[in-house]
């Protein structure tokens, strides 16, 4: 029996259809657990008293309440995604069910309640309401301490669940309930509650709060004592107790003077270093509770080091270290239990991209992927959590980058017929360094029909070397395509600005005229002014476009790539008003 079959047999009692497993086989691990825990005789109850832990922790301890709410509400704000196979399904019915699980809870309330139960009890029970084999119509959350696990038969550990309220029981089949639990090192069925781990710290915090309250009711002073050298009668003793309780004790009697008689003296007890250390230890205990729930203390009001930058990093850490791991466990449980009810290839996932606290990290990731020129488009999309595109198996590189082999290769020789000669410039005389008699015979420009034919042949050879190399043609075309798109975008921005300015001008003229009845178009629209405005707006762009196109054509005729940055630097040097 392999690992998967063993787990399925252990959890669901399913016997794999293999020749090596006989029909009467029983898993020894399941039999051992059943025998050790006595599952065949009694039900299994929650090991700790959930109600008392919740009352002492969540209801009476501010630290626990704040930690649980921080995690639960942050998790409730995370969005879900649905997939059918590898295809995104934004309107899938499973998302509709999560958006409105039942008639009483919305998505945020349902998820917040789920994680609150999980953090307080260590266990969570989600019940699916379905008819037959149809997809679930509703989801409910059961209070953990009211759910009982029934023993299984035939080697299965769990046979079902019973929900008990006021003595009334409701039974559920095993497949109806999703039991989520945190890890427990010594229990096979229930998870370990973080509140149970932090229980001693909760008691310390609650007792310190009680002590502080008593101190407040005693005028913010530690108790003292009445001293006398004589013996008090019982009536005098009782009268003094009533006076201290009713006239001197309590915050409403703060500042009232003491009236002592009969030699009575008041001895005040000052706070010793032990008491002061007790007050400081309370802060440390609260931080220990935050550590158990994995929540930074500055997020729940610890102002000792709660600066803005610390809070920002703590908020990010809350999602990365606490919320997302818990959400991934919930995702896995839902994909194991709920998703198969909607189809064999349906699965859920967490939409990490929509978490506001992680947007900065997401931007850094996208910047890294953008600069990773060695990756294909589809590889970048998959790394960013997006679907592949049909034409994405290509690698894009910046326009100005060329292969190293092309950069270091020897330039192609220019034919002799295309080299400049002295005869091409009749008004100039050859210098001493370049006299006609010093030039080789084969570099002289051929004359007559023979020369024209040789010149045409040489030009054809040069043209062929420029335009027939596939890699060079591809680079030239990519450069041209990118340049056209950039120019279109720049013209679109200028055109939109021009149209908006024109609309504003027309609106202002109409407002000044008050009424447009009986007016001609020329009254609110001047063709001459609009022509001037059009020329002022678009002429610089046209000139810049012609210069870029000319330079690009010159580069392309030589088989070179066009460098847009060079044109920007040289086209209008000294005139910052022009593009």
């Amino acid at each position: 029996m392999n690992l998967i079959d063993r787990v399925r047999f252990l959890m669901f009692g399913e016997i794999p259809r293999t020749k090596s497993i006989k029909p009467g086989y029983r898993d020894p691990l399941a039999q051992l657990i059943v025998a050790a825990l006595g599952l065949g005789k009694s039900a299994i109850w929650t090991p700790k008293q959930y109600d008392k832990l919740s009352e002492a922790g969540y209801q009476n301890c501010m630290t626990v309440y704040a930690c649980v709410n921080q995690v639960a509400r942050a998790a409730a704000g995370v969005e879900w995604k649905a997939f059918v196979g590898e295809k995104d399904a934004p309107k899938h019915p499973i998302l509709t069910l999560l958006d409105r699980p039942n008639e009483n809870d919305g998505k945020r309330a349902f998820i917040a309640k789920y994680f609150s139960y999980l953090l307080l009890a260590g266990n969570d029970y989600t019940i699916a309401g379905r008819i037959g084999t149809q997809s679930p119509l509703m989801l409910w959350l059961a209070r953990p301490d009211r759910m009982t696990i029934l023993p299984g038969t035939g080697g299965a550990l769990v046979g079902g669940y019973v929900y008990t309220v006021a003595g009334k029981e409701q039974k559920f089949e095993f497949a109806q309930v999703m039991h989520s639990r945190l890890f427990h090192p010594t229990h096979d069925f229930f998870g370990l509650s973080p509140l149970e781990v932090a229980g001693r710290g909760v008691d310390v915090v609650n007792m310190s709060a009680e002590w502080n309250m008593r101190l407040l009711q005693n005028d913010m002073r530690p108790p003292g004592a009445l001293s006398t050298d004589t013996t008090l009668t019982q009536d005098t003793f009782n009268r003094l107790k009533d006076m201290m309780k009713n006239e001197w004790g309590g915050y409403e009697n703060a500042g009232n003077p003491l009236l002592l008689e009969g030699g009575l003296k008041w001895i005040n007890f000052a706070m010793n270093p032990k008491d002061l250390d007790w007050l400081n230890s309370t802060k440390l205990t609260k931080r220990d509770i935050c550590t158990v729930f994995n929540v930074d203390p500055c997020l729940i009001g610890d102002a000792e080091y709660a600066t803005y930058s610390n809070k920002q990093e703590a908020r990010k850490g809350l999602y990365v270290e606490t919320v997302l791991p818990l959400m991934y466990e919930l995702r896995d449980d839902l994909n194991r239990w709920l998703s198969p009810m909607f189809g064999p290839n349906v699965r859920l996932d967490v939409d990490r991209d929509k978490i506001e606290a992680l947007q900065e990290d997401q931007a850094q990731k996208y910047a890294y992927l953008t600069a990773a020129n060695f990756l294909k488009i589809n590889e970048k999309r998959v790394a960013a959590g997006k679907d592949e595109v049909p034409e994405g198996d290509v690698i894009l590189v910046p326009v100005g980058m060329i292969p190293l082999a092309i950069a270091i290769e020897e330039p192609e020789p220019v034919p002799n017929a295309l080299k400049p000669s002295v005869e091409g410039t009749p008004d100039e005389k050859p210098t001493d360094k370049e006299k006609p008699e010093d030039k080789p015979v084969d570099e002289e420009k051929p004359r007559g029909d023979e020369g024209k034919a040789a010149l045409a042949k040489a030009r054809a050879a040069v043209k062929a070397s420029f335009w027939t190399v596939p890699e060079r043609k591809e680079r030239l075309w990519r450069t041209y395509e990118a340049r056209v798109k950039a120019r279109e975008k720049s013209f679109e921005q200028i055109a939109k600005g021009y149209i908006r300015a024109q609309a504003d001008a027309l609106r202002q003229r109409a407002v000044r005229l008050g009424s447009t009845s009986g007016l001609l178009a020329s009254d609110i629209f001047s063709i001459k002014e609009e022509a001037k405005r059009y020329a002022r707006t678009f002429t610089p762009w046209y000139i810049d476009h012609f210069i870029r196109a000319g330079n690009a054509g010159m580069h392309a005729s030589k088989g070179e790539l066009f460098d847009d940055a060079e044109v920007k630097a040289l086209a209008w040097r000294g005139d910052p008003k022009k593009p």
Side-chain angles (χ1 to χ4, degrees):
M1 181 183 294
N2 58 29
L3 179 60
I4 297 177
D5 292 337
R6 184 181 181 86
V7 173
R8 292 186 63 83
F9 180 77
L10 180 63
M11 297 303 298
F12 307 110
E14 296 182 1
I15 300 178
R17 298 179 180 179
T18 59
K19 295 182 180 179
S20 61
I21 304 299
K22 298 180 180 180
Y25 177 81
R26 293 293 182 268
D27 189 284
L29 178 58
Q31 291 181 345
L32 180 61
I33 296 177
V34 170
L37 299 180
L39 295 183
K41 298 180 180 179
S42 61
I44 306 168
W45 299 90
T46 305
K48 291 292 183 178
Q49 293 184 345
Y50 166 80
D51 53 347
K52 295 189 179 299
L53 282 174
S54 299
E55 182 180 358
Y58 191 77
Q59 295 177 235
N60 293 326
C61 181
M62 293 180 288
T63 305
V64 174
Y65 178 86
C67 289
V68 172
N69 277 359
Q70 279 286 338
V71 177
R73 291 178 180 177
V78 178
E79 298 292 336
W80 292 92
K81 297 188 294 184
F83 297 89
V84 179
E86 297 299 326
K87 186 177 180 181
D88 191 4
K91 296 183 180 179
H92 198 275
I94 194 172
L95 294 179
T96 304
L97 178 64
L98 292 178
D99 286 339
R100 187 64 187 272
N102 55 64
E103 66 274 12
N104 297 324
D105 298 324
K107 181 187 70 172
R108 292 183 63 91
F110 184 85
I111 299 297
K113 187 185 299 184
Y114 172 91
F115 282 105
S116 297
Y117 280 148
L118 188 66
L119 295 175
L120 294 176
N123 299 274
D124 225 310
Y125 301 91
T126 307
I127 304 171
R130 60 188 307 197
I131 301 174
T133 58
Q134 296 181 4
S135 301
L137 302 177
M138 291 186 182
L139 298 174
W140 292 280
L141 289 172
R143 211 175 96 172
D145 61 321
R146 292 176 174 172
M147 189 68 77
T148 306
I149 298 178
L150 297 178
T153 58
L157 291 180
V158 180
Y161 301 89
V162 177
Y163 190 74
T164 306
V165 181
K168 297 181 179 181
E169 296 182 349
Q170 175 67 44
K171 293 185 178 181
F172 297 97
E173 297 180 0
F174 176 80
Q176 284 183 271
V177 179
M178 181 184 75
H179 181 194
S180 303
R181 55 189 178 272
L182 300 176
F183 173 73
H184 199 305
T186 60
H187 211 291
D188 297 286
F189 300 94
F190 295 101
L192 180 60
S193 166
L195 182 57
E196 182 180 344
V197 176
R200 295 184 178 181
V202 171
D203 291 339
V204 171
V205 172
N206 290 343
M207 285 188 291
S208 65
E210 182 75 15
W211 184 76
N212 288 334
M213 187 62 187
R214 292 180 181 274
L215 190 64
L216 175 65
Q217 292 176 348
N218 197 32
D219 191 20
M220 289 304 295
R221 286 194 297 265
L226 288 174
S227 175
T228 179
D229 296 333
T230 62
T231 302
L232 299 177
T233 64
Q234 187 64 35
D235 293 339
T236 304
F237 181 80
N238 293 334
R239 184 169 63 86
L240 284 174
K241 285 179 61 177
D242 292 339
M243 289 179 61
M244 292 181 65
K245 181 177 181 181
N246 299 324
E247 298 181 12
W248 300 336
Y251 60 89
E252 67 275 5
N253 295 322
N256 290 344
L258 298 178
L259 181 60
L260 303 177
E261 59 181 345
L264 290 173
K265 298 179 182 179
W266 175 259
I267 301 175
N268 191 21
F269 294 162
M271 294 186 69
N272 53 35
K274 182 178 179 181
D275 296 328
L276 295 176
D277 185 65
W278 164 261
L279 294 176
N280 292 328
S281 66
T282 304
K283 295 181 181 180
L284 300 178
T285 305
K286 290 182 179 180
R287 292 173 183 173
D288 290 340
I289 296 175
C290 293
T291 302
V292 173
F293 287 94
N294 205 12
V295 175
D296 195 289
C298 73
L299 293 177
I300 63 169
D302 192 338
E304 188 169 332
Y305 62 99
T307 62
Y308 178 79
S309 58
N310 287 346
K311 271 194 171 183
Q312 200 171 17
E313 293 299 322
R315 177 68 59 185
K316 188 187 302 182
L318 176 68
Y319 278 96
V320 174
E321 300 174 6
T322 306
V323 175
L324 284 178
L326 291 174
M327 289 294 293
Y328 292 150
E329 293 183 10
L330 173 60
R331 175 200 63 187
D332 295 341
D333 286 343
L334 291 176
N335 286 333
R336 169 185 59 82
W337 174 74
L338 181 63
S339 298
M341 301 180 188
F342 288 86
N345 297 322
V346 178
R347 63 181 177 89
L348 289 166
D349 201 354
V350 176
D351 194 352
R352 184 186 173 116
D353 294 343
K354 293 185 179 179
I355 300 178
E356 185 177 354
L358 303 181
Q359 291 303 310
E360 184 178 350
D361 292 343
Q362 202 70 15
Q364 294 177 358
K365 179 180 179 180
Y366 287 157
Y368 166 75
L369 292 175
T370 302
N373 298 321
F374 56 89
L375 294 177
K376 296 180 180 179
I377 294 178
N378 281 338
E379 291 174 339
K380 295 181 180 180
R381 291 182 63 85
V382 171
K386 306 296 182 182
D387 296 331
E388 295 183 356
V389 293
E391 300 180 356
D393 290 329
V394 295
I395 297 179
L396 300 181
V397 297
V399 176
M401 296 178 65
I402 62 174
L404 178 62
I406 296 178
I408 63 176
E409 69 181 359
E410 292 293 334
E412 298 177 0
V414 180
N416 297 332
L418 292 183
K419 291 184 178 180
S421 61
V422 180
E423 296 180 2
T425 54
D427 295 336
E428 299 178 2
K429 295 182 180 180
T431 60
D432 294 336
K433 295 182 181 180
E434 188 181 8
K435 296 181 180 180
E437 58 270 20
D438 296 334
K439 293 182 66 63
V441 178
D442 56 351
E443 291 186 2
E444 293 184 359
K445 184 176 179 181
R447 305 175 183 275
D449 296 337
E450 233 180 75
K452 292 181 181 179
L455 183 61
K457 184 177 180 180
R459 287 177 175 172
V462 173
K463 183 177 181 182
S465 66
F466 285 159
W467 301 104
T468 56
V469 180
E471 293 81 7
R472 183 170 295 163
K473 289 172 63 178
E474 178 70 17
R475 292 200 307 274
L476 292 172
W477 171 252
R478 293 295 182 188
T479 305
Y480 171 78
E481 190 178 30
R483 191 169 65 253
V484 169
K485 290 181 179 180
R487 299 309 294 165
E488 288 177 352
K489 187 175 182 180
S490 64
F491 184 86
E492 180 183 357
Q493 294 176 353
I494 297 175
K496 286 181 179 179
Y498 172 78
I499 293 173
R500 284 194 295 267
Q502 190 181 53
D504 293 338
L506 292 176
R507 190 181 300 109
Q508 292 174 4
R509 291 175 186 172
V511 170
R512 286 198 301 267
L513 293 173
S515 174
T516 58
S517 59
L519 294 177
L520 299 176
S522 58
D523 295 331
I524 60 174
F525 187 88
S526 174
I527 297 178
K528 291 183 178 181
E529 292 181 5
E530 290 301 324
K532 293 180 181 179
R533 180 185 296 175
Y534 185 93
R536 290 195 304 268
T537 304
F538 291 99
T539 298
W541 184 90
Y542 284 128
I543 296 175
D544 181 66
H545 179 69
F546 294 149
I547 293 176
R548 292 170 187 264
N551 279 273
M554 292 296 295
H555 282 277
S557 65
K558 302 176 184 179
E560 300 174 351
L561 296 179
F562 173 64
D563 188 2
D564 190 61
E566 179 183 354
V567 175
K568 288 181 180 179
L570 300 177
W572 299 99
R573 179 175 294 173
D575 192 350
K577 297 181 180 180
K578 296 184 179 181

